[in-house]
Amino acid sequence: DASLMARIKWVKLKRSNRAVEKVLRSYSGTVDRLLDICRHCIIFDTVADLTACLRAIQRDPHVIILRVKNRLDPAYDSRVSAGYRDVALNL
């Protein structure tokens, strides 16, 4: 479905200079903490749609969820991310 495919944002691999900068600045040189080299984004109209997608990913026997960052959680301080909110998965 073309309208659904338009909601997926295919992002290029993280540039090597940006990866090195992030490892040094954010992870004190610990390379194995860098998990977002290959990234994609799906935009949902509703939280219900997001939840349905997350459940489908969780039920997929071929996928292992390594980490979830839930920046939609009311307890998350959005001032840390300049108001940006999302749910990020490392698979």
Side-chain angles (χ1 to χ4, degrees), residues 61-90:
H62 302 289
V63 175
I64 298 170
I65 299 173
L66 300 173
R67 180 175 71 174
V68 177
K69 281 187 180 179
N70 182 2
R71 290 183 279 241
L72 293 178
D73 186 324
Y76 175 73
D77 182 1
S78 65
R79 293 175 293 183
V80 173
S81 58
Y84 182 79
R85 291 187 173 269
D86 67 356
V87 176
L89 303 178
N90 293 107

Side-chain angles (χ1 to χ4, degrees), residues 8-20:
I8 300 173
K9 304 301 179 196
W10 303 98
V11 182
K12 294 180 181 178
L13 293 176
K14 185 180 291 267
R15 294 187 330 263
S16 59
N17 61 330
R18 174 63 184 117
V20 169

Side-chain angles (χ1 to χ4, degrees), residues 29-61:
T30 307
V31 175
D32 60 349
R33 292 191 59 204
L34 183 66
L35 302 175
D36 64 341
I37 294 171
C38 179
R39 304 164 288 164
H40 299 295
C41 174
I42 304 173
I43 299 169
F44 296 94
D45 288 329
T46 67
V47 173
D49 291 343
L50 167 64
T51 302
C53 181
L54 292 173
R55 285 190 178 126
I57 292 169
Q58 186 178 30
R59 285 191 305 264
D60 188 325

